[in-house]
Amino acid sequence: MTVIPSIKSDYLGKLAEQGKRIDGRRFDEYRKIEIETHVVSKAEGSARVRIGNTQVLAGIKMDIGEPYSDSPNSGVMTTSAELVPLASPDFEAGPPGGRAIELARVVDRGIRESQIIDVDKLCVVPDEKVWMVFIDIHILDYDGNLFDTASLAALAALFSTKVPMDRFKPLFEKLKDTCPSINDYLQQHPTDYPLPLREPPISCTSVKFNNVVVFDPSLDEEEIAEGIGDVRSHGARLTVATDEKGHIRAMQKGLNGSFTKEEIQKAIKASIDNGNEIRQILYKSVGKK
Amino acid sequence: MKSDIKLIDGHGKRLDGRKADELRKIKIEAGVLHRADGSCYLEWGGNKVLAAVYGPREAIPKHTQNPLKAIVNARYNMASFSVEDRKRPGPDRRSVEISKVISEALERVILIEQFPRTMINVNIEVLDAEAGTRCAGLTAAGVALADAGIPMIDIPVACAAGKIDGHVVLDLGQKEDNFGDADLPLGLAPRINEVILLQMDGHLTMDEFNKAFELAHHGCLVVSEMQKKALLEKYESVVQPEEVVQDVQPEESE
C-alpha cells in the first residue's frame, strides 16, 4: 500500500470539513467519464472506460456450454476481474485475492440482478446447449473507484457484443446430427447478431471519511477511507446499482467503517441521480437512444 | 429466478407459517469449544453455525503485521455437506467475499489499536445451511468475540430482510431466498446504531428499501438481546458455583 503522507491526509480532511475536495469537485460529482468500445477485435465485445485517471478494459467472450440444471433454458454469465500489476505498484501477480474477487462479484451482482442480459434468449438447444457469456475485467491504471469504472466497462462491452454465430458454424454443423432441434435456432439467427440486452443498471460508489461522503473517490480519498496510517479512521465504502426507474438492484458496503441510516438513504438518492447521468453517457457512446 | 411457488398466502402467512415481521427460531450458546479462546454455537432456523475466536496472537505471516493495530481475519467456511448439492471443500469466490465483508465489519467494533502486530482469527463454520448464513455467521462471531474477552465498542449482530411476492418481510427462509425478489443482509453495531455490513441483491424501490431496512434493523435489535442473554447465561453460571462453595464451607469444615 502506498502511504499517503499524513500532511495530505490532514489537508483533505480539513477541506472536507469545509465542503471541498482537492480537485475542486462537489461531494457528489464524478470525474470525467470516457467510454470507447470495440477496442479488442478478437473479443465478441469490448470497451475501455476511463473515470479520471482510472482506466479499465473489459472484454466479452462467448462460448457454447451446458446450462445449469435449475435453469435448463437460460444462458450463463460469469464475471472475473484481475488486478494486474501494470495498473498499480500495489497490485501483485498471482491468483485473484479478496479484493479482486469482491470487485468481480459486485460487478457481477449489478449486472445479474438487473437482468440486463436476457439469458432466456441465449438458449441454443433446450436442456442441452446454451450460450455462456464471460465478462473479463482488466484494470489498466488504478486511480480510485474501480467498482464504478469496472461496472461501466462491463456494460459498455456488453452493448458492443455480437453473438459469434459465424465463428461457431463448424460446431453448429456437428450439433445438427445429435440435436436436430438446433435448426430452429439457426434459422432464426443465420449470422452474428447483437447480444439481447435490457436496460442497464448503473453502479455508483461513494466513500466516507472524516464524516463526509464523497462520490467517485480518487485514490487519495480511498486510501484515507481505508485508514492507511490512521487506525480508527472509520472510513467506509458503499456501492449502489440502480436502474432507469430509480429502483435499487444491488448494494455492497465495504471497508472497516460504518454508515448511519441517513447516510445510506442520501447515498442511494445521489446514486440514482448520478446513475441517470452516467446512463446517458453510456447510451451516447454505444449509440443507443 | 421466476417460479410458480406462492411464498405468501392471502392472510399474509409465509411458507413456514411465519408473519411478515417474524424471525425464525434462534438458539445461541456461548463458550462451547474447549480449545478456542472464545466460541459460540448458533442455530437460526435451519442454519447451524459454529464460531471460534483465536487471538490476539502474533500475526503470521510476519509481513501482514500492522505496527498500529491488530488485523482481523474472519474465515467464513461452509461444510461440504451443509447444502443440497455437495459443495467442494475450501474457499470459493462467494466465501472469500463473505469473509472479507465480515472481517471489515468486525474491525469496526473491535478495539484493534490495543493489539498492534497481532491477528485475531474468527473462524465461522457453517455446518447446516438454510439461507441467511452470513448474518448467522456474523452474529455468532460477535458472541464468540465477547466470550473471548476481546474488547469491543459493541457486540456486532446481523439480520436480513427481503422481498417475496412483492411483500417486504423479515429473515428470508430457503425458498424465500431462492425464489424471492430481493435480499438485504444488514449488520449492525447496535449501541452506536451504525451499519457495519450491508449487501443487497434483487429489486427494491426506495420505499421498499426503507421498509426492509427498518425490519432488518428491528431484527438485529431482537437478536442482539438474545446474544447478551446467551453470554449472561454462560457467565452467570460461572459465578454461581463460587457462591455455592461459600455456603457449604462451614459444613465441610465440620
Side-chain angles (χ1 to χ4, degrees), chain A:
Chain A
M1 257 340 136
T2 324
V3 175
I4 73 159
S6 52
I7 291 174
K8 194 170 192 181
S9 168
D10 287 350
Y11 178 55
L12 261 78
K14 285 226 177 68
L15 279 179
E17 281 165 22
Q18 302 164 17
K20 291 180 191 159
R21 294 167 84 173
I22 196 164
D23 51 9
R25 282 187 286 154
R26 295 187 317 272
F27 284 171
D28 61 351
E29 188 177 342
Y30 269 68
R31 292 168 289 182
K32 191 176 176 212
I33 299 175
E34 289 171 84
I35 303 173
E36 194 186 341
T37 55
H38 304 284
V39 288
V40 179
S41 59
K42 283 276 163 55
E44 267 70 80
S46 61
R48 180 164 62 192
V49 170
R50 287 171 214 249
I51 299 186
N53 292 320
T54 296
Q55 212 183 125
V56 171
L57 176 68
I60 313 284
K61 288 298 279 181
M62 293 181 70
D63 202 350
I64 295 287
E66 295 190 357
Y68 288 116
S69 55
D70 59 353
S71 53
N73 300 326
S74 301
V76 174
M77 68 161 273
T78 50
T79 311
S80 58
E82 255 190 277
L83 305 180
V84 286
L86 113 152
S88 161
D90 306 324
F91 293 167
E92 283 173 37
R99 236 173 128 185
I101 289 173
E102 186 188 23
L103 173 65
R105 283 182 57 89
V106 171
V107 173
D108 184 277
R109 204 172 299 150
I111 292 172
R112 191 181 299 276
E113 297 302 329
S114 67
Q115 297 160 354
I116 175 184
I117 301 180
D118 197 345
V119 284
D120 297 337
K121 288 191 185 154
L122 291 178
C123 180
V124 177
V125 184
D127 298 326
E128 286 179 43
K129 297 285 174 210
V130 296
W131 281 111
M132 302 168 79
V133 182
F134 296 94
I135 305 172
D136 287 296
I137 293 161
H138 270 244
I139 314 303
L140 303 181
D141 204 350
Y142 172 43
D143 190 32
N145 201 4
L146 284 184
F147 283 78
D148 295 353
T149 321
S151 299
L152 197 54
L155 289 175
L158 285 172
F159 274 107
S160 74
T161 298
K162 290 249 174 5
V163 181
M165 298 303 289
D166 295 336
R167 185 158 73 83
F168 279 85
K169 242 220 173 117
L171 178 72
F172 290 145
E173 289 302 323
K174 257 192 241 163
L175 281 174
K176 272 182 182 170
D177 302 334
T178 50
C179 317
S181 58
I182 195 174
N183 284 316
D184 293 349
Y185 175 77
L186 292 179
Q187 264 165 21
Q188 281 170 32
H189 305 285
T191 177
D192 289 3
Y193 65 100
L195 188 67
L197 295 177
R198 304 198 182 98
E199 282 76 37
I202 302 291
S203 89
C204 291
T205 298
S206 51
V207 297
K208 173 182 166 186
F209 63 91
N210 288 50
N211 283 315
V212 299
V213 176
V214 300
F215 274 79
D216 181 30
S218 67
L219 184 60
D220 287 341
E221 290 166 335
E222 270 184 12
E223 288 190 341
I224 294 172
E226 277 167 26
I228 292 156
D230 182 1
V231 183
R232 296 209 69 82
S233 66
H234 299 330
R237 186 190 64 230
L238 186 68
T239 303
V240 183
T242 54
D243 63 17
E244 230 159 14
K245 295 193 194 87
H247 296 173
I248 310 157
R249 295 300 193 145
M251 279 195 277
Q252 176 93 343
K253 181 244 154 193
L255 304 187
N256 60 7
S258 50
F259 285 106
T260 64
K261 183 187 165 193
E262 289 70 32
E263 284 167 344
I264 293 169
Q265 287 170 326
K266 215 175 143 192
I268 294 173
K269 288 203 182 91
S271 296
I272 295 170
D273 293 342
N274 273 318
N276 286 334
E277 276 177 35
I278 296 172
R279 190 175 291 106
Q280 293 313 315
I281 299 174
L282 172 67
Y283 279 161
K284 217 173 141 192
S285 68
V286 298
K288 192 172 179 278
K289 285 187 185 170

Side-chain angles (χ1 to χ4, degrees), chain B residues 128-201:
Chain B
D128 206 347
E130 190 215 50
T133 54
R134 75 194 66 188
C135 291
L138 180 56
T139 302
V143 174
L145 282 163
D147 182 45
I150 290 178
M152 294 186 280
I153 59 161
D154 232 332
I155 299 174
V157 61
C159 182
K163 186 166 83 164
I164 54 170
D165 293 350
H167 299 270
V168 176
V169 297
L170 182 63
D171 186 24
L172 300 187
Q174 184 79 67
K175 285 215 170 88
E176 295 175 334
D177 190 20
N178 290 351
F179 304 113
D181 310 320
D183 186 19
L184 179 91
L186 178 80
L188 193 73
R191 222 166 48 82
I192 60 166
N193 196 25
E194 293 207 6
V195 175
I196 53 174
L197 181 145
L198 177 75
Q199 297 183 298
M200 199 287 272
D201 58 50

